[in-house]
Amino acid sequence: MKNIESLYKALTERILVLDGAMGTMLQRYKFEEEDYRGERFKDWDHPVKGNNDLLSLTQPQAIEEVHRKYLDAGADILETNTFSGTTIAMADYHMEDLVYELNYESAKIARKACDEYTAKNPDKPRFVAGSIGPTNKTASLSPDVNDPGYRAITFDELRIAYKQQAEALLDGGSDILLVETIFDTLNAKAALFAIDEIQEERNIKIPIMVSGTITDASGRTLSGQTAEAFLISISHLNLLSVGFNCALGANQLTPYLETLAHNSEFYVSAYPNAGLPNAFGKYDETPEFMAEQIKEYVEKGLINIIGGCCGTTPDHIKAIADLVKEYQPRKLKEFV
């Protein structure tokens, strides 16, 4: 409860900084199959390389090290290493039974780092955002072009999976639940429904961040919604923030953030990629260039929470943190 109060207080005082990309940082370790497996999973029957969430169990020191680098760079909010932490996504590795443990331990790692940094500087409390990714299935669209009515997943299957993940993230010490990189709003609605169930069952208020992704220059999510339609369709819950992340660089995201900022009664978040990927899938925007793009957000008073997605590093987050401390956060609108 105390953390929630200090979170809302901090949001009125300054623009909060979210961390940058976990995957980008983990690539630097050049982990191989045996590193992902560790001792515990050395005889696992299926390949696990690429399962970054598993590293919270097999390489927890690396996850903690990445968290600390982002805290040193000025991050106020750390995301847990749980982007694929549902039974739906973990089915790729036949690790559905590990989902509770993966989320719980990931949250504990981030919680420990945040608590240490808050203790060192109580005037700058740090918060844990439990990362809830979109899964690799979509409830609105058919994966089969020959059968448009087919669905690979149901709303209820998503709700059950998200609920398990959310409960573990909360039990591990998350202050916030972050439903992120939403390409299908129906998936997000299942996650929000599950979180609302937990709020009722536990009689608690959970700060919920919702972050969609605009997939291309059409300005729509993958399931076809405009920024405004996306906002309307998730505004039935009392959210902490709504925003966009991934897919686009900072510059391309501006008009969609303007739509949210001018129409939302919630705080607004943004964590763009470090530009668009080059021909090799790498991100080229320097920290200085990215911060310069983000300057437009703060000069226009569009945001309350800012961070980085794909391709961003602690250097990017430091450049952003240094920039935004000179600006006031967006003021919430009063809607009648």
Side-chain angles (χ1 to χ4, degrees):
M1 212 39 219
K2 183 168 172 289
N3 272 14
I4 293 178
E5 285 168 16
S6 56
L7 171 63
Y8 278 89
K9 182 171 181 288
L11 278 163
T12 63
E13 294 169 347
R14 57 199 166 89
I15 296 169
L16 296 190
V17 177
L18 190 70
D19 60 6
M22 175 62 77
T24 299
M25 295 300 289
L26 290 175
Q27 285 171 7
R28 295 180 174 186
Y29 288 85
K30 297 187 165 49
F31 287 137
E32 295 299 336
E33 180 73 27
E34 60 269 25
D35 302 306
Y36 277 87
R37 288 172 176 264
E39 188 59 30
R40 179 173 165 188
F41 301 101
K42 68 177 193 298
D43 298 323
W44 198 255
D45 290 342
H46 308 277
V48 296
K49 186 178 176 184
N51 185 356
N52 283 350
D53 294 26
L54 183 63
L55 296 172
S56 293
L57 303 183
T58 56
Q59 304 289 341
Q61 73 292 339
I63 304 302
E64 186 174 340
E65 193 171 48
V66 172
H67 284 329
R68 288 175 179 280
K69 284 179 176 168
Y70 281 124
L71 290 170
D72 286 335
D76 299 288
I77 304 170
L78 282 186
E79 283 193 61
T80 56
N81 178 41
T82 54
F83 187 78
S84 302
T86 55
T87 49
I88 296 160
M90 280 295 144
D92 287 355
Y93 303 98
H94 304 270
M95 287 183 158
E96 297 96 319
D97 291 345
L98 289 170
V99 160
Y100 185 90
E101 185 185 1
L102 283 171
N103 286 281
Y104 180 79
E105 293 299 330
S106 293
K108 273 180 67 177
I109 295 167
R111 176 82 273 151
K112 176 178 174 238
C114 280
D115 287 348
E116 283 181 24
Y117 278 71
T118 300
K120 279 192 269 187
N121 183 3
D123 292 336
K124 187 178 165 65
R126 314 298 179 104
F127 308 98
V128 177
S131 167
I132 298 176
T135 82
N136 48 8
K137 302 274 174 72
T138 166
S140 291
L141 304 167
S142 172
D144 182 355
V145 292
N146 298 312
D147 186 359
Y150 172 71
R151 295 293 180 269
I153 193 91
T154 67
F155 183 91
D156 213 43
E157 286 168 333
L158 285 163
R159 177 190 65 81
I160 291 164
Y162 282 131
K163 190 171 183 182
Q164 182 187 16
Q165 181 179 26
E167 287 180 324
L169 288 169
L170 291 169
D171 293 347
S174 298
D175 302 302
I176 301 161
L177 290 180
L178 168 55
V179 182
E180 64 172 332
T181 321
I182 298 162
F183 57 77
D184 183 346
T185 308
L186 194 56
N187 285 35
K189 280 179 170 286
L192 295 173
F193 191 92
I195 295 167
D196 206 28
E197 279 189 325
I198 297 168
Q199 290 191 119
E200 284 189 33
E201 289 165 9
R202 299 192 178 192
N203 194 25
I204 56 173
K205 177 173 165 38
I206 303 166
I208 307 165
M209 293 176 66
V210 170
S211 185
T213 188
I214 300 289
T215 48
D216 57 34
S218 71
R220 293 173 182 265
T221 64
L222 188 66
S223 56
Q225 285 188 311
T226 62
E228 198 162 11
F230 168 71
L231 173 64
I232 291 165
S233 62
I234 48 99
S235 290
H236 57 289
L237 270 183
N238 183 20
L239 304 174
L240 175 72
S241 70
V242 63
F244 289 115
N245 72 292
C246 201
L248 301 175
N251 198 31
Q252 296 92 342
L253 208 52
T254 307
Y256 312 117
L257 290 176
E258 287 178 321
T259 296
L260 295 185
H262 298 151
N263 294 288
S264 175
E265 59 201 277
F266 310 123
Y267 292 111
V268 170
S269 71
Y271 48 116
N273 292 344
L276 296 173
N278 63 24
F280 304 102
K282 302 287 186 194
Y283 294 86
D284 297 327
E285 269 189 13
T286 64
E288 297 72 28
F289 188 78
M290 188 173 178
E292 191 58 38
Q293 310 275 306
I294 282 167
K295 196 171 186 182
E296 186 178 3
Y297 300 175
V298 289
E299 286 178 342
K300 290 182 172 179
L302 301 180
I303 55 164
N304 305 93
I305 301 168
I306 183 73
C309 205
C310 305
T312 57
T313 66
D315 289 340
H316 289 84
I317 297 306
K318 183 176 188 318
I320 291 167
D322 288 346
L323 167 78
V324 301
K325 68 184 177 198
E326 307 297 331
Y327 290 85
Q328 288 297 305
R330 167 182 162 271
K331 296 281 179 276
L332 288 195
K333 286 187 184 332
E334 293 294 330
F335 286 86
V336 178

